[in-house]
Amino acid sequence: MRALIPTGQPETLIEIGLVDPPSARPDEALIKVTDISLNRADYLYLSDPASTFRPGIDAAGIVEQAAADGSGPPQGSRVVMHLPAGGGGAEYATAPADRLALIPDGVDSSTASALPLAGFVALRLLALAGSLEGRRILATGVGGGVGQIIIQLAIAQGAEITAVTAAGQPTQHITALGAKVTQDLDALEPNSFDLLLESVGGKLGSEAAYKLRTGGQYLWFGQASGHPISLDFFRLLQGGATLTLRHFIYSDGDGARDTADMDHLLRLAAEGRLQVQIGHLGDWVGAGAALKEMAAGRLQGKAVLKVT
């Protein structure tokens, strides 16, 4: 069957090639894939020339063959799946029942495929922050799929959110969701935010810490720049500020939790309370170019590929 496979070349990253079709275990369903959602993790894995990673952490499709043990959705169901090890970028994929969620009426497959990883990160990151009512949030690196969900969920919970973006990156979709936007971190008052959501690292992630009020929270969930943060103890001391720094990892490997969260995200989308902006929707032949656009921050939201 055809599948997205790594090329080991930075110019292309991936191509469509031939692989052996998957064989389903008794607790797995065979899915005919229709949509693949790209994530930054796909790009990071494929950037290694020696990588054997096959992209497709998030995908949607139709159950071609239900699990033999009777678990999971029946044949013909529209489903979305989250496969942490990848492999969903193919004509067919297998998935355990606890990695599948039924797509409700009113939600198209492309939208559903864009929800799992981005939605899990947003839901669980904000849950870790605690109550958001009346809190001021500063966020970096929220122009993509994760960010758009973070913004909507945070505002719905009563928070005010300011996004820091790089010059030249699109911001209309961020402001349309209700966030404030700045490209000049220095213009923001120090000690004025309750919570920092940081996923860029480097100088931006380091300097953003000094915008937190005394007792503020710093939740660190990424390092898109490739450079680590660096905090100056004495600068914090002289400024009279204290903060709590916490490193966030989105998954604990609990498939049942993944399905419950996926169902919740799909309900929000079906009820119109969660929008998913897709900045690139195209044929999977263009997967490599779409990955590069996403990694460069030039997309407004998610990149979704149709398996034709």
Side-chain angles (χ1 to χ4, degrees):
M1 70 170 185
R2 295 179 301 160
L4 292 175
I5 58 175
T7 64
Q9 303 298 321
E11 298 82 10
T12 54
L13 294 176
I14 48 178
E15 64 184 4
I16 297 176
L18 295 176
V19 301
D20 293 333
S23 178
R25 299 195 308 262
D27 64 337
E28 292 182 328
L30 178 67
I31 311 299
K32 181 177 175 59
V33 180
T34 59
D35 301 81
I36 309 158
S37 173
L38 297 177
N39 293 289
R40 182 169 290 275
D42 294 308
Y43 178 80
L44 295 176
Y45 287 133
L46 292 166
S47 295
D48 179 358
S51 176
T52 59
F53 175 78
R54 283 178 43 201
I57 295 172
D58 296 330
I62 299 170
V63 177
E64 181 87 357
Q65 178 181 306
D69 67 0
S71 62
Q75 183 180 12
S77 301
R78 287 197 311 139
V79 293
V80 61
M81 52 188 159
H82 178 63
L83 306 173
E91 291 180 299
Y92 292 91
T94 57
D98 65 1
R99 293 288 177 190
L100 297 173
L102 288 169
I103 302 174
D105 293 340
V107 178
D108 61 82
S109 297
S110 296
T111 297
S113 73
L115 279 172
L117 180 55
F120 294 166
V121 172
L123 272 179
R124 296 167 188 179
L125 184 68
L126 293 178
L128 192 62
S131 174
L132 299 179
E133 180 68 38
R135 296 176 74 184
R136 296 190 68 197
I137 300 174
L138 182 63
T140 68
V142 290
V146 174
Q148 64 176 318
I149 300 178
I150 285 176
I151 291 169
Q152 292 175 80
L153 295 180
I155 291 176
Q157 293 178 53
E160 175 188 297
I161 186 164
T162 299
V164 184
T165 65
Q169 289 187 336
T171 60
Q172 300 92 331
H173 64 301
I174 299 176
T175 55
L177 294 173
K180 299 178 180 179
V181 175
T182 183
Q183 294 180 345
D184 184 4
L185 184 67
D186 293 336
L188 300 175
E189 289 292 325
N191 309 316
S192 57
F193 291 91
D194 305 295
L195 171 64
L196 170 61
L197 305 177
E198 209 293 297
S199 65
V200 174
K203 182 179 179 181
L204 177 60
S206 304
E207 291 296 317
Y210 306 106
K211 303 301 179 181
L212 284 171
R213 65 165 175 79
T214 296
Q217 284 180 286
Y218 186 132
L219 295 184
W220 182 26
F221 68 105
Q223 194 166 290
S225 70
H227 301 291
I229 60 171
S230 176
L231 299 180
D232 186 335
F233 175 84
F234 291 105
R235 182 175 171 186
L236 287 168
L237 181 64
Q238 291 163 3
T242 61
L243 60 84
T244 299
L245 172 64
R246 184 159 183 177
H247 176 214
F248 168 80
I249 299 175
Y250 88 94
S251 178
D252 55 9
D254 185 343
R257 181 191 185 195
D258 286 355
T259 300
D261 283 352
M262 191 68 254
D263 287 337
H264 176 60
L265 291 163
L266 288 165
R267 278 196 304 273
L268 292 177
E271 294 166 3
R273 293 191 286 155
L274 180 62
Q275 302 173 36
V276 179
Q277 183 162 10
I278 297 175
H280 173 91
L281 179 61
D283 192 284
W284 67 334
V285 171
L291 267 177
K292 291 182 180 180
E293 286 291 296
M294 179 192 67
R298 291 191 288 264
L299 293 183
Q300 297 186 28
K302 293 285 290 184
V304 175
L305 307 173
K306 304 294 289 187
V307 178
T308 55

